[in-house]
PDB file of all heavy atoms in Angstrom:
ATOM      1  N   ALA D 648     -18.358  23.459  14.755  1.00  0.00           N
ATOM      2  CA  ALA D 648     -19.720  23.153  15.181  1.00  0.00           C
ATOM      3  C   ALA D 648     -20.570  22.823  13.959  1.00  0.00           C
ATOM      4  O   ALA D 648     -20.480  23.479  12.926  1.00  0.00           O
ATOM      5  CB  ALA D 648     -20.314  24.335  15.939  1.00  0.00           C
ATOM      6  N   GLY D 649     -21.388  21.786  14.093  1.00  0.00           N
ATOM      7  CA  GLY D 649     -22.282  21.393  13.014  1.00  0.00           C
ATOM      8  C   GLY D 649     -21.688  20.409  12.038  1.00  0.00           C
ATOM      9  O   GLY D 649     -22.403  19.856  11.207  1.00  0.00           O
ATOM     10  N   ALA D 650     -20.373  20.192  12.090  1.00  0.00           N
ATOM     11  CA  ALA D 650     -19.755  19.215  11.193  1.00  0.00           C
ATOM     12  C   ALA D 650     -20.062  17.802  11.681  1.00  0.00           C
ATOM     13  O   ALA D 650     -20.317  17.567  12.855  1.00  0.00           O
ATOM     14  CB  ALA D 650     -18.254  19.426  11.146  1.00  0.00           C
ATOM     15  N   THR D 651     -20.047  16.867  10.753  1.00  0.00           N
ATOM     16  CA  THR D 651     -20.195  15.455  11.103  1.00  0.00           C
ATOM     17  C   THR D 651     -19.044  14.680  10.485  1.00  0.00           C
ATOM     18  O   THR D 651     -18.427  15.122   9.521  1.00  0.00           O
ATOM     19  CB  THR D 651     -21.523  14.877  10.590  1.00  0.00           C
ATOM     20  OG1 THR D 651     -21.562  14.978   9.166  1.00  0.00           O
ATOM     21  CG2 THR D 651     -22.707  15.609  11.197  1.00  0.00           C
ATOM     22  N   SER D 652     -18.760  13.535  11.031  1.00  0.00           N
ATOM     23  CA  SER D 652     -17.707  12.686  10.480  1.00  0.00           C
ATOM     24  C   SER D 652     -18.059  11.240  10.749  1.00  0.00           C
ATOM     25  O   SER D 652     -18.172  10.826  11.905  1.00  0.00           O
ATOM     26  CB  SER D 652     -16.348  13.018  11.118  1.00  0.00           C
ATOM     27  OG  SER D 652     -15.368  12.085  10.704  1.00  0.00           O
ATOM     28  N   GLY D 653     -18.232  10.453   9.678  1.00  0.00           N
ATOM     29  CA  GLY D 653     -18.591   9.056   9.846  1.00  0.00           C
ATOM     30  C   GLY D 653     -17.499   8.226  10.476  1.00  0.00           C
ATOM     31  O   GLY D 653     -17.763   7.162  11.019  1.00  0.00           O
ATOM     32  N   ASP D 654     -16.253   8.696  10.404  1.00  0.00           N
ATOM     33  CA  ASP D 654     -15.136   7.923  10.935  1.00  0.00           C
ATOM     34  C   ASP D 654     -14.658   8.400  12.292  1.00  0.00           C
ATOM     35  O   ASP D 654     -13.658   7.903  12.805  1.00  0.00           O
ATOM     36  CB  ASP D 654     -13.946   7.976   9.961  1.00  0.00           C
ATOM     37  CG  ASP D 654     -14.250   7.258   8.650  1.00  0.00           C
ATOM     38  OD1 ASP D 654     -15.125   6.391   8.656  1.00  0.00           O
ATOM     39  OD2 ASP D 654     -13.603   7.594   7.648  1.00  0.00           O
ATOM     40  N   GLY D 655     -15.341   9.384  12.893  1.00  0.00           N
ATOM     41  CA  GLY D 655     -14.850   9.896  14.163  1.00  0.00           C
ATOM     42  C   GLY D 655     -15.861  10.760  14.872  1.00  0.00           C
ATOM     43  O   GLY D 655     -16.988  10.959  14.411  1.00  0.00           O
TER      44      GLY D 655
END
Side-chain angles (χ1 to χ4, degrees):
T651 61
S652 173
D654 293 337

